[in-house]
Amino acid sequence: MIGPLFPHAKVTGRPPEDRRTVVEATAWRFRTGAPWRDVPERFGNWNTIYKNFNRWVDAAVCAKVLEKTQSLAQQAGDLDWGTSIDSTIVRVHQHGATLPRTTAGSPEMQENRGGAA
């Protein structure tokens, strides 16, 4: 279903890597969060997989694949657009963690909050 969305392989040069293998390797890499160099050898050379993925991102192939799979899932009734965000996993940026905290505000602001005008 998504095969026609990928660009055609070059006719000259080395024979291309099987596109299914590259897609599976890319999915494995993002599913596990491993670095590109740790992609198992059963998928082929990690650098080839990385270069193919980068080319496909630059050519907007990944966006087209996402749109296609989402539309197919929507038509089948398998797509749920509900989202849940758990704030316990939201972290501050590394540079914001050491900033001084001013919890009370300025003295002028505290006086105004007391009701006195």
Side-chain angles (χ1 to χ4, degrees):
M1 300 229 167
I2 62 172
L5 300 175
F6 291 92
H8 295 289
K10 293 180 182 176
V11 182
T12 60
R14 292 183 182 206
E17 192 72 32
D18 181 28
R19 295 183 192 286
R20 290 181 186 204
T21 305
V22 175
V23 171
E24 284 296 319
T26 304
W28 180 90
R29 191 260 181 209
F30 283 107
R31 185 173 56 247
T32 62
W36 284 105
R37 290 181 185 262
D38 291 346
V39 172
E41 294 209 12
R42 69 178 182 264
F43 294 122
N45 184 357
W46 71 269
N47 199 22
T48 303
I49 295 164
Y50 171 74
K51 286 180 181 179
N52 276 299
F53 172 72
N54 262 358
R55 266 189 243 122
W56 294 344
V57 168
D58 290 342
V61 172
C62 293
K64 292 174 190 173
V65 169
L66 178 63
E67 289 174 12
K68 177 74 171 182
T69 54
Q70 282 179 339
S71 68
L72 291 172
Q74 181 75 29
Q75 291 170 3
D78 295 334
L79 190 60
D80 182 14
W81 288 102
T83 306
S84 175
I85 299 174
D86 183 5
S87 64
T88 59
I89 62 166
V90 177
R91 291 181 178 35
V92 70
H93 189 271
Q94 63 182 355
H95 300 298
T98 58
L99 294 176
R101 294 182 63 172
T102 54
T103 56
S106 65
E108 293 83 19
M109 292 294 290
Q110 291 176 5
E111 290 172 7
N112 288 342
R113 288 187 195 154

